[in-house]
Amino acid sequence: MKVFSKITLLLCLAISVGCQDFLEENPKNLLTVDDIPHTVEGAEKLVFAAYENWTEGTKLYARWMPLWEIGTDNMAPQELYSTVVAPYVTHTLTATEQFMYTGVWGPLWQGVADANNAIDLISAITEISEEEKAPIIGEALFMRALYYYHLVRMWGDQPIFLESVNSLTAIKVAERQSVEEVYEQVIIPDLIEAADLLPGSYTGDDIGRMTKWSAKVVLAEVYLTRAGWRRTSQGQMVQGDAKYYELAQDAAWEVIQNPDGFDIHTSFIGTEPAYARPWLEAFSSESLVEFGNLAGMGIGAEGEGLYLVSEVLMARQNLFWGNSPEVNSSPLSGGKRGFYIPTPDFFRTFEAGDERKEWGLLSKTTMADGSTGYTNPVFRKWADPAIYNGNDGVIDNDGENNIVLYRVADALLIYAEAVNEVNGAPTAQAYAQINRLRNRAGLGDLPLGLDYEGFKKVVWQERRVELHAECKRKFDLIRTNRLLEESNTRDVYYSSSDNPDYLGATVINDILVNAPVTTYPAHEHLWPIPVDEMTLNKSWVQNDGY
């Protein structure tokens, strides 16, 4: 038996559910088909393990995935940032960085392991029919594809594991395969098969599980990504094959035309705009990939609430834009809140009257005591209003927020962008999809007559404002080859004029809320392979620049 004082999380591949402190060459604790109930419910429990990694405890989107977005033109931490986020702010990231490793890399590989285990064990159950197995295996295939899709975009070349691994030696000798091979051998075929196996919708308590349209919308984005730019693990910027644009167009159109009732919301919910509904109604009919959280069920590593809210609303009682509307004497200084907060550049990118800004960027609220409170802008999608408002009894890291990863809105945007690329100009249908999103946000139609370049820039802008705080900005900037250009030239300072309630006689234009710009290095298109993995896999070569 070999003992590891700090076990590598890639070794989760050798364990069924969760990493252990000890590994054997042929682990005795590997689940077998005899260890699970031979029922539909037993099969479902296996696949549900692959769901949990996305928002469980402090994993991935529960806390650490937004580190990927830090330093882009959309998001930067508070100016008085902590050592936790310092490597991402100052672009001094190394292979030894803890939270990249334990918070993102590890849970992604755990998800691959959970999906592989589910596929292998469910396939071996003979007591349930192939018809009953099919959609559950479809869920596992979808999850494996989604985990690998994150891995290749964030770290480049990856080893390919398509079945459970029960040998330490097999892991130690696994070679990294090219990004192209991972897409063509794992991600794309898994999504295509998942779309064939999954139902178009669920009812009752099963609403929220992955459907055919979950697979199709991710597949559409995968094709869009394959057509775009990326940095290789060896350090070259390469552009994908334009043939993928047509595939993206077709997959996105299938989602738009789906017969199962998924569509963008166009009606208000109470006084809240239609745009807000996916975050106000759990598993709404616009949502295609969503992971749930439940406050009040424990916090920390075992909690069911969303830990991320604490990183958005740190020091929540320190009000930035004054303590009341009578702020004529306020110096506009005070609490600078959160690891993950909007930049002035992003705050000013919206058109006047855009409800996506009015709802999506919180800066004013009625506090629990009835007073008016102001903060620097924070992302509403990640902020629990009960915590933001200072309600009694709330716990700062126990948010009642779901993470919505993909919506029908994604399909509209993908379709419009792909159509423009395929035809060299926008079509009436491409215009229509963008106008649907603009109109529901309270904006008018796009001007007619845009050429290829003009429409492309419009779609990029619509993606920026529509999909904000959904961890898609850096991925978009990379595939359109704009990461360095946009991130290095963002606005740094807020102004008193950004606050419509500011009554002061003196305009203040140098309010430093976010961390200043540090030049984005080219090698941070990818993150470094964690040092523990490099130590285990002697043949691996570190990503260029690290």
Side-chain angles (χ1 to χ4, degrees):
M1 178 177 289
K2 187 169 184 178
V3 181
F4 292 83
S5 60
K6 182 181 178 185
I7 192 167
T8 63
L9 285 168
L10 180 52
L11 295 181
C12 290
L13 286 163
I15 308 297
S16 59
V17 181
C19 292
Q20 309 296 316
D21 291 327
F22 303 92
L23 280 181
E24 298 180 60
E25 177 63 22
N26 294 287
K28 303 296 188 295
N29 54 355
L30 186 72
L31 276 180
T32 70
V33 71
D34 296 326
D35 297 320
I36 60 172
H38 291 197
T39 62
V40 170
E41 291 75 17
E44 288 176 332
K45 286 182 179 179
L46 281 170
V47 82
F48 290 163
Y51 278 75
E52 292 179 358
N53 291 292
W54 294 108
T55 57
E56 182 183 43
T58 58
K59 298 175 184 176
L60 294 173
Y61 290 91
R63 189 180 190 188
W64 297 120
M65 184 64 197
L67 289 173
W68 179 250
E69 296 275 283
I70 283 181
T72 64
D73 53 350
N74 273 22
M75 189 178 78
Q78 60 182 331
E79 183 251 334
L80 301 173
Y81 55 84
S82 74
T83 55
V84 171
V85 296
Y88 306 90
V89 179
T90 59
H91 299 301
T92 54
L93 188 64
T94 70
T96 61
E97 208 291 307
Q98 175 185 356
F99 299 108
M100 169 196 72
Y101 178 45
T102 60
V104 187
W105 169 274
L108 289 173
W109 276 113
Q110 182 64 62
V112 172
D114 289 340
N116 281 339
N117 287 324
I119 293 166
D120 290 350
L121 296 178
I122 294 168
S123 297
I125 298 173
T126 58
E127 287 82 357
I128 61 178
S129 70
E130 295 303 312
E131 185 178 27
E132 291 172 312
K133 291 180 189 179
I136 307 173
I137 291 175
E139 287 176 278
L141 289 167
F142 172 85
M143 288 296 168
R144 184 169 68 186
L146 190 59
Y147 284 117
Y148 260 115
Y149 184 39
H150 281 69
L151 284 163
V152 295
R153 288 181 297 165
M154 299 174 75
W155 282 279
D157 300 345
Q158 298 294 330
I160 294 176
F161 294 97
L162 296 180
E163 58 186 22
S164 300
V165 180
N166 62 2
S167 166
L168 179 57
T169 298
I171 296 171
K172 292 175 69 174
V173 301
E175 297 291 342
R176 294 173 73 189
Q177 305 300 316
S178 70
V179 167
E180 288 83 359
E181 290 175 295
V182 179
Y183 273 115
E184 298 304 321
Q185 294 182 34
V186 186
I187 298 171
I188 292 174
D190 275 4
L191 289 171
I192 291 173
E193 185 175 0
D196 289 338
L197 296 177
L198 288 167
S201 63
Y202 289 93
T203 60
D205 291 342
D206 288 324
I207 292 175
R209 294 172 68 173
M210 299 304 118
T211 70
K212 176 186 188 73
W213 310 113
S214 308
K216 285 288 186 179
V217 74
V218 177
L219 182 61
E221 189 189 79
V222 165
Y223 288 142
L224 194 68
T225 300
R226 292 290 285 128
W229 290 84
R230 66 179 181 86
R231 182 180 169 94
T232 68
S233 291
Q234 296 72 39
Q236 293 82 41
M237 289 299 296
V238 296
Q239 188 171 18
D241 193 325
K243 71 179 183 182
Y244 288 104
Y245 284 123
E246 187 167 3
L247 294 171
Q249 165 195 279
D250 294 346
W253 185 246
E254 285 189 72
V255 177
I256 294 168
Q257 295 292 98
N258 81 86
D260 293 301
F262 293 102
D263 202 353
I264 64 167
H265 295 296
T266 55
S267 60
F268 278 54
I269 174 170
T271 60
E272 303 283 10
Y275 175 74
R277 292 186 69 168
W279 293 272
L280 300 178
E281 296 179 358
F283 307 111
S284 77
S285 57
E286 182 171 337
S287 177
L288 297 172
V289 179
E290 179 175 345
F291 299 102
N293 295 283
L294 185 64
M297 300 293 288
I299 60 173
E302 303 303 322
E304 297 296 332
L306 186 67
Y307 197 104
L308 176 62
V309 297
S310 68
E311 319 294 26
V312 178
L313 298 176
M314 298 178 76
R316 61 184 170 83
Q317 298 296 350
N318 296 327
L319 303 179
F320 175 74
W321 265 334
N323 294 319
S324 71
E326 291 74 40
V327 293
N328 56 315
S329 61
S330 170
L332 278 81
S333 63
K336 305 177 178 71
R337 300 161 25 133
F339 288 173
Y340 310 128
I341 54 179
T343 63
D345 193 276
F346 180 63
F347 187 78
R348 299 181 186 127
T349 198
F350 292 84
E351 296 175 47
D354 193 329
E355 292 171 356
R356 294 171 291 197
K357 178 181 182 180
E358 301 304 317
W359 180 84
L361 300 184
L362 286 174
S363 60
K364 177 182 178 180
T365 189
T366 300
M367 303 294 285
D369 62 6
S371 63
T372 301
Y374 294 85
T375 64
N376 61 267
V378 298
F379 291 117
R380 169 63 180 85
K381 295 175 185 177
W382 292 342
D384 188 321
I387 299 173
Y388 182 76
N389 297 341
N391 292 3
D392 290 338
V394 297
I395 301 174
D396 282 4
N397 55 0
D398 190 25
E400 189 89 349
N401 301 51
N402 283 4
I403 293 295
V404 182
L405 282 191
Y406 290 91
R407 303 179 278 129
V408 177
D410 288 85
L412 272 60
L413 290 160
I414 293 167
Y415 175 81
E417 182 173 352
V419 165
N420 191 49
E421 294 292 342
V422 169
N423 295 281
T427 64
Q429 276 290 1
Y431 263 98
Q433 307 316 314
I434 298 301
N435 286 337
R436 290 180 67 197
L437 296 175
R438 289 177 57 83
N439 294 166
R440 75 118 169 229
L443 302 177
D445 288 351
L446 291 174
L448 295 175
L450 292 173
D451 61 9
Y452 163 78
E453 285 293 338
F455 192 79
K456 178 171 68 174
K457 291 177 181 177
V458 162
V459 175
W460 288 351
Q461 171 65 8
E462 288 297 321
R463 287 188 63 87
R464 186 182 186 188
V465 295
E466 176 73 26
L467 304 178
H468 75 266
E470 297 177 41
C471 285
K472 293 187 171 80
R473 183 60 177 170
K474 183 174 176 179
F475 291 134
D476 275 354
L477 291 176
I478 289 171
R479 70 172 181 80
T480 58
N481 201 18
R482 296 179 296 140
L483 176 63
L484 307 186
E485 172 190 350
E486 299 296 339
S487 300
N488 291 336
T489 58
R490 64 175 169 88
D491 291 344
V492 174
Y493 295 105
Y494 277 99
S495 168
S496 58
S497 61
D498 291 321
N499 178 9
D501 288 342
Y502 178 67
L503 304 177
T506 303
V507 175
I508 305 172
N509 290 321
D510 58 351
I511 306 168
L512 188 62
V513 176
N514 302 89
V517 173
T518 301
T519 301
Y520 219 113
H523 65 265
E524 280 195 21
H525 281 74
L526 296 175
W527 276 354
I529 301 294
V531 66
D532 297 70
E533 307 300 346
M534 297 299 297
T535 301
L536 180 69
N537 298 277
K538 302 295 185 182
S539 66
W540 287 16
V541 176
Q542 182 59 272
N543 286 338
D544 180 75
Y546 295 101

